[in-house]
Every structure is written in structure tokens, then in C-alpha cells.
């Protein structure tokens, strides 16, 4: 049996799109993808337009895929990029992105972050119309649905509006249609997508931290259901019909996004510190020190320690040179595995009452090893506090948590999980505490993996009721569209 050293779930992808008045935007795509590497480590790709769309992609980390020689073969003033983690066995080059397809409006290149729930149905529908598919991804389904819509409408803008109406699920997209660059966020804004700019350059990226690195200014998040066309001279915004409520993925704040990113108006670091404060309020404990599980529990632990006036100690040290996807090759080497990744400082922990903080527990396999490590280092008591409420249900919207069986909390009480971890106490943040920490209405968050109630219709699962007025009508939408366009023009 093979086992990963990190049982955090994986996010599918990170995306970026750049257009400039002049010069070559390939360096921006490359460095942007390096910043987004935490969102996908299996493949990377760049597509640029220069007379035609040129695309290079391969399996591996961004610097492995793009040597300076490879980069020098690409150039253009407009392009998109993608880093990917595959959720199924399809960790193969043909599924790497951007995906390029032909259309009557010219070639299309697409980079997608998210997951389309009705992809199989759309695939079958297109196959009946004799469309051929080269990959097993929902992203190829998206691009072919778009190409099909362009044939029907003969108008790219109209096709973009129509084809998004066919998709159910989460999708943040960057698209080249010939030399035109579009960015689209699904009507529930489940996955992040933000817009920034710097001298004559317009950029969209999965996370705002990309703008910091590229010396660009973060302007704003794309709105739910927004289609942004980025040109060398500015941006043009239109809105799709969208529900009044969003469904931002809570896990972006809890774990996926970088702490220095701002998502939908909330700095991820601040939210994590507040999560720590909320757990301290809900589940205080008498202890000598707070120890974060590095690096995922660090900000949560800071908030917890600050709220209770406890010392925050780095009792666990992480080996920075063990990659997140490292697989322990052999069962007998498992104990070596956890020591390869983490080591405990015995002189700090010996005889102490320790609060161990992490962002979440998915399978619980890593946490039980960490508890054992801290116990072996001589801790007298180990109290585990977790920043995310128990994960009990699969994610169908872009995160690699597919089966109920894999969850530590599946069919078990907190006391049973505590027992399996070997901790003296275990407490999770409540959903109410999490919502308070994100400081957004519960109705605007996706909490599907916690509640088994989803913001989109998933076969066999419960659909979240729409509590307020269901849809903006077209009239209201065009008002919003005008306002959005005016606002963007003001910002330029
Ligand atoms: S089900 Fe969970 S992980 Fe998936 S989008 Fe919703 S909150 Fe995020």
C-alpha cells in the first residue's frame, strides 16, 4: 500500500490570463504560475497568441515544465496559463491544460479551475452530434460546448453567455478565442478569480497574491457570473443571470488559498487567525503551549494562542524539502515517512500540556501520526483543536474529496475520532464559528462537504434552498452590467 505524507485534499487548479499593450507576457504567465503552484503540482501549461495559438504543457512542476529554453520558444502579448492537480487516475499529459480546440471563430484555448457536475451528460449530448473528445476531462467538455455554441450563434459574446447557461457546477475560466482574452466566474462564484493591472497590462488570476509578485495592483474579484473581456486598452464586463446568493468555497479560506491572498474582500490570513480565536472561544483548554501543525495550522494557532494568552511554540519542525505530494513507497517505511516530513522538539514538549492546532482533518491518518510524534517527544497532555468543522460529505465542485468512506468523521462521533488519534481531547470549530470567522452570510458560502447540502443540483444529493429572491431578471442584470462597466472604467 502506498500512502501520501499529507492527507490534505488537493485543489484542482490555478489559472492566469494576461494581455499587454506591447512586449511579451510569457514571463508574467510563468512567474504567475509559480506563485499558484500550491493549487496544482502535476502539470503546467501556457498558451499564447502570436498569429496563432501556441501551447506548451507537460507533466511536472512549473520550473520543470518550462526551462528557459522552452520559455524562449513562446512569445505573445496575450496568453493564459494553468497548473493542474488531477482528481482521478487521469494524471496524464492529454488531460493537462490549457486545452486547445478549433472553432469557426478561430482556435480556442481554455484553462479551467473547478468542476462541472453535468459534464458527462453534456459529453454524451455532443457525442450524439458527432463531436469527438480527446481527453477525459470536464474542461474539454466546456471548450467543446463553447465551440458548438459559437457555431450556433456565430457570435463569440453571445456564445459565451449561452454556453455558461449549460454548465452546472464550479468554473473559473480563462479563455483565448483567437487573440481575444476572456475571464469567466460561475454564477455562484464558487472558485476564486481576481483582476489586477500594471502599466499597460491586464491580469486575471486565481489568487490576488499573483499581483503582488508581478508588481501589479489588485483591482477586485470577478463578480458572480461575470464575463470580463481583457484587451490591451481596458476591460469590458458583462454579467450572466445569477442567483442573489453566492456559494464561495469555505475551504479556500480554511486551507487552499495562500494566506497572503485576498478572496472576495477577506484576507485569508485574517480569516485563519479569526478561526483560531473562534475555536479558543468555543473550546478553551488549560495548557502550557500552543503548537501549530506546520504550515497549514500556523495562522489558526496564532489566533488561538492570542485569544487564550498562551505561548505559541514551534514544537514541530517541517522538512521544507519534502514536497506535498511525496508518496511513501512502502508500508514498512511509514514511520520514517512522518519523521521525514516533521520532527518534534523534545526539550520544548517534554512534560508539557500541548494544544495541537491544524486547519482540518480529512482522513485523520496524518494527524494520528503527529499526535504519536508529540507523545513520543514527552508531551504530558495533547489537546487537538481543528479549524474546520468535521468533513463528512464529498466535494463535487473541484476539490479532491470524492468518497464518504475516506473521511475520519464518516459515521463516527468526535469521541471516537479522538480515541483513534490517541489525543487527550479533540474539538472542531462549529459551522457557526467558521461562518463568523469568514464574516460572510452562511447563504453566500458553500458548506457542502460539512452539511451534505450543495449549492447546485448534484444527482443523489440535497440541494440548498434559495432563501432569497431567486434570480436577478435580465433588466436588473443589465443595470448591474452597466454599473460594473462604469466602475471598471473609473478604476482604469
Ligand atoms: S463541498 Fe466543500 S470543498 Fe467543495 S466547494 Fe463546497 S465547501 Fe468547498
Amino acid at each position: 500500500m502506498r500512502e501520501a505524507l499529507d492527507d490534505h485534499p488537493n485543489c484542482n487548479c490555478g489559472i492566469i490570463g494576461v494581455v499587454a499593450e506591447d512586449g511579451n507576457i510569457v514571463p508574467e504567465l510563468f512567474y504567475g504560475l509559480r506563485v499558484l503552484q500550491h493549487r496544482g503540482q502535476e502539470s503546467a501549461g501556457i498558451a499564447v497568441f502570436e498569429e496563432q495559438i501556441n501551447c506548451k504543457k507537460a507533466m511536472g512542476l512549473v520550473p520543470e515544465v518550462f526551462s528557459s529554453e522552452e520559455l524562449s520558444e513562446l512569445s505573445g502579448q496575450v496568453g493564459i496559463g494553468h497548473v493542474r492537480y488531477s482528481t482521478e487516475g487521469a494524471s496524464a499529459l492529454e488531460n493537462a491544460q490549457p486545452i486547445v480546440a478549433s472553432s469557426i471563430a478561430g482556435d480556442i484555448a481554455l484553462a479551467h479551475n473547478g468542476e462541472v457536475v453535468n459534464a458527462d451528460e453534456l459529453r454524451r449530448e455532443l457525442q450524439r452530434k458527432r463531436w469527438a473528445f480527446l481527453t477525459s476531462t470536464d474542461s474539454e467538455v466546456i471548450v467543446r460546448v463553447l465551440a458548438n455554441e459559437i457555431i450556433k450563434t456565430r457570435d463569440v459574446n453571445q456564445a459565451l453567455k449561452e454556453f455558461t447557461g449549460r454548465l452546472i457546477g464550479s468554473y473559473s475560466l480563462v479563455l483565448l478565442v483567437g487573440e481575444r482574452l476572456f475571464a469567466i466566474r460561475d454564477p455562484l462564484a464558487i472558485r476564486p478569480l481576481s483582476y489586477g493591472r500594471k502599466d499597460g497590462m491586464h491580469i486575471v488570476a486565481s489568487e490576488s497574491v499573483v499581483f503582488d509578485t508581478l508588481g501589479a495592483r489588485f483591482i477586485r474579484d470577478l463578480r458572480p457570473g461575470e464575463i470580463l473581456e481583457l484587451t490591451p486598452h481596458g476591460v469590458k464586463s458583462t454579467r450572466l443571470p445569477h442567483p442573489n446568493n453566492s456559494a464561495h468555497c469555505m475551504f479556500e479560506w480554511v486551507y487552499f488559498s495562500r494566506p497572503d491572498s485576498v478572496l472576495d474582500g477577506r484576507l485569508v490570513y485574517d480569516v485563519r487567525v479569526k478561526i483560531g480565536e473562534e475555536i479558543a472561544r468555543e473550546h478553551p483548554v488549560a495548557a502550557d503551549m500552543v503548537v501549530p501543525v506546520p504550515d497549514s495550522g500556523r495562522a489558526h494557532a496564532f489566533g488561538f494562542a492570542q485569544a487564550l494568552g498562551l505561548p505559541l511554540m514551534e514544537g514541530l519542525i517541517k522538512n521544507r524539502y519534502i514536497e506535498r505530494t511525496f508518496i511513501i513507497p512502502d508500508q514498512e517505511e511509514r514511520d520514517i515517512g512522518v519523521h521525514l516530513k516533521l520532527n518534534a522538539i523534545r526539550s520544548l514538549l517534554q512534560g508539557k500540556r500541548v494544544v495541537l492546532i491544524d486547519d482540518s482533518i480529512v482522513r485523520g491518518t496524518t494527524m494520528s501520526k503527529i499526535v504519536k510524534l508529540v507523545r513520543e517527544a514527552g508531551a504530558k497532555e495533547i489537546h487537538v483543536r481543528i479549524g474546520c468543522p468535521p468533513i463528512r460529505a464529498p466535494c463535487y465542485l473541484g476539490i479532491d474529496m470524492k468518497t464518504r468512506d475516506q473521511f475520519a468523521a464518516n459515521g463516527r462521533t468526535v469521541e471516537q475520532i479522538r480515541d483513534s488519534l490517541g489525543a487527550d481531547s479533540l474539538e472542531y470549530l462549529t459551522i457557526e464559528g467558521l461562518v463568523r470567522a469568514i464574516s460572510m452570510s452562511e447563504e453566500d458560502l458553500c458548506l457542502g462537504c460539512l452539511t451534505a447540502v450543495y449549492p447546485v443540483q448534484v444527482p443523489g444529493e440535497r440541494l440548498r434552498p434559495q432563501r432569497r429572491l431567486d434570480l436577478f431578471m435580465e433588466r436588473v442584470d443589465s443595470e448591474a452590467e452597466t454599473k460594473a462597466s462604469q466602475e471598471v472604467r473609473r478604476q482604469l
Side-chain angles (χ1 to χ4, degrees):
M1 183 176 165
R2 289 155 66 84
E3 186 180 343
L5 261 187
D6 187 337
D7 75 358
H8 277 106
N10 288 289
C11 181
N12 281 5
C13 306
I15 58 175
I16 181 170
V18 183
V19 61
E21 279 171 25
D22 49 39
N24 177 15
I25 50 79
V26 170
E28 275 74 16
L29 291 175
F30 173 74
Y31 290 117
L33 288 181
R34 290 212 66 172
V35 175
L36 295 173
Q37 187 80 80
H38 60 288
R39 298 184 72 87
Q41 296 98 42
E42 289 193 0
S43 68
I46 286 176
V48 284
F49 182 89
E50 196 177 46
E51 294 175 8
Q52 60 177 27
I53 289 178
N54 299 309
C55 181
K56 279 193 187 294
K57 55 188 177 180
M59 305 304 290
L61 298 172
V62 179
E64 293 164 355
V65 172
F66 294 103
S67 63
S68 41
E69 206 171 71
E70 294 273 1
L71 279 181
S72 66
E73 288 168 13
L74 284 172
S75 114
Q77 284 170 234
V78 59
I80 62 174
H82 190 268
V83 284
R84 177 168 197 264
Y85 168 81
S86 66
T87 50
E88 321 95 56
S91 168
L93 180 57
E94 70 261 23
N95 288 337
Q97 296 188 36
I99 289 184
V100 181
S102 302
S103 85
I104 54 164
D107 282 349
I108 302 171
L110 170 129
H112 170 214
N113 176 208
E115 192 169 341
V116 173
V117 178
N118 62 335
D120 288 347
E121 193 185 313
L122 292 169
R123 180 188 294 267
R124 284 194 295 272
E125 186 186 311
L126 287 178
Q127 280 169 334
R128 281 196 294 274
K129 292 180 182 167
R130 300 189 176 281
W131 284 81
F133 286 82
L134 303 173
T135 77
S136 57
T137 62
D138 57 347
S139 307
E140 188 187 359
V141 174
I142 297 176
V143 87
R144 303 235 179 260
V145 174
L146 173 60
N148 188 48
E149 217 53 59
I150 292 175
I151 291 173
K152 274 176 23 196
T153 59
R154 311 241 152 205
D155 176 307
V156 172
N157 290 330
Q158 189 56 29
L160 287 172
K161 285 187 185 169
E162 298 290 335
F163 103 109
T164 43
R166 309 280 335 271
L167 309 176
I168 299 172
S170 63
Y171 51 91
S172 283
L173 307 172
V174 286
L175 276 161
L176 286 177
V177 183
E179 60 188 316
R180 296 174 71 182
L181 172 62
F182 296 92
I184 304 177
R185 200 171 180 198
D186 68 67
L188 290 164
I190 297 171
R191 303 255 78 84
L193 192 58
S194 50
Y195 162 58
R197 71 184 176 94
K198 73 173 189 180
D199 349 305
M201 191 176 282
H202 299 270
I203 307 164
V204 279
S206 291
E207 292 185 35
S208 69
V209 65
V210 167
F211 309 130
D212 299 339
T213 307
L214 298 183
R217 189 157 65 90
F218 170 43
I219 304 291
R220 63 175 176 82
D221 298 284
L222 266 74
R223 299 181 175 88
E226 183 170 17
I227 301 177
L228 205 60
E229 179 169 8
L230 297 95
T231 76
H233 311 294
V235 292
K236 192 177 151 214
S237 165
T238 53
R239 291 291 284 280
L240 301 163
H242 52 281
N244 261 350
N245 291 119
S246 304
H248 307 302
C249 169
M250 63 83 196
F251 227 66
E252 293 282 353
W253 284 286
V254 168
Y255 172 68
F256 288 123
S257 291
R258 273 185 41 162
D260 42 351
S261 282
V262 177
L263 300 187
D264 293 294
R266 283 122 183 106
L267 177 66
V268 175
Y269 181 81
D270 281 352
V271 171
R272 289 181 189 166
V273 171
K274 280 190 200 144
I275 285 174
E277 291 168 357
E278 288 288 341
I279 321 173
R281 209 171 59 76
E282 291 184 354
H283 305 293
V285 59
D288 300 310
M289 66 174 70
V290 177
V291 173
V293 173
D295 294 316
S296 49
R298 197 162 268 147
H300 309 73
F302 178 73
F304 187 94
Q306 213 178 28
L308 292 184
L310 291 170
L312 178 70
M313 310 292 267
E314 297 278 357
L316 290 167
I317 303 299
K318 183 178 169 185
N319 178 351
R320 294 187 192 287
Y321 299 95
I322 290 290
E323 65 277 23
R324 221 182 122 217
T325 50
F326 179 76
I327 301 285
I328 309 163
D330 190 293
Q331 190 160 5
E332 288 168 18
E333 294 175 22
R334 279 189 199 179
D335 282 346
I336 294 176
V338 77
H339 284 276
L340 260 179
K341 185 182 173 187
L342 287 175
N343 196 19
I345 302 183
R346 176 175 288 274
S347 57
L348 279 183
L349 301 170
Q350 193 140 34
K352 296 293 193 311
R353 298 168 300 167
V354 174
V355 187
L356 207 51
I357 310 257
D358 206 356
D359 63 292
S360 60
I361 291 180
V362 182
R363 286 184 289 269
T365 46
T366 305
M367 182 51 89
S368 63
K369 290 185 184 117
I370 294 171
V371 170
K372 187 167 172 245
L373 195 66
V374 173
R375 187 80 73 194
E376 284 169 356
K380 191 166 75 181
E381 292 173 20
I382 303 170
H383 303 278
V384 177
R385 297 292 181 270
I386 300 297
C388 182
I391 295 168
R392 300 181 190 280
C395 175
Y396 303 95
L397 298 167
I399 303 302
D400 177 31
M401 301 192 296
K402 296 294 174 207
T403 55
R404 283 180 161 82
D405 294 351
Q406 74 188 98
F407 304 125
N410 180 41
R412 293 203 292 180
T413 63
V414 172
E415 177 54 22
Q416 286 168 328
I417 305 167
R418 180 207 63 73
D419 190 47
S420 72
L421 296 181
D424 295 285
S425 77
L426 166 69
E427 299 290 355
Y428 292 85
L429 183 62
T430 60
I431 290 179
E432 296 72 29
L434 176 64
V435 171
R436 271 197 302 276
I438 298 175
S439 46
M440 192 176 276
S441 158
E442 187 174 336
E443 294 167 29
D444 287 321
L445 293 170
C446 177
L447 303 168
C449 50
L450 311 179
T451 59
V453 179
Y454 297 87
V456 299
Q457 185 69 68
V458 177
E461 300 285 6
R462 282 172 61 204
L463 176 66
R464 173 179 93 176
Q466 193 66 43
R467 291 188 201 156
R468 289 190 257 149
L469 179 67
D470 197 39
L471 283 178
F472 278 112
M473 301 311 290
E474 284 297 332
R475 186 183 59 77
V476 182
D477 220 48
S478 36
E479 281 169 17
E481 177 181 323
T482 312
K483 277 189 199 146
S485 305
Q486 284 167 351
E487 187 186 320
V488 172
R489 274 200 294 279
R490 261 205 318 277
Q491 286 163 349
L492 296 177

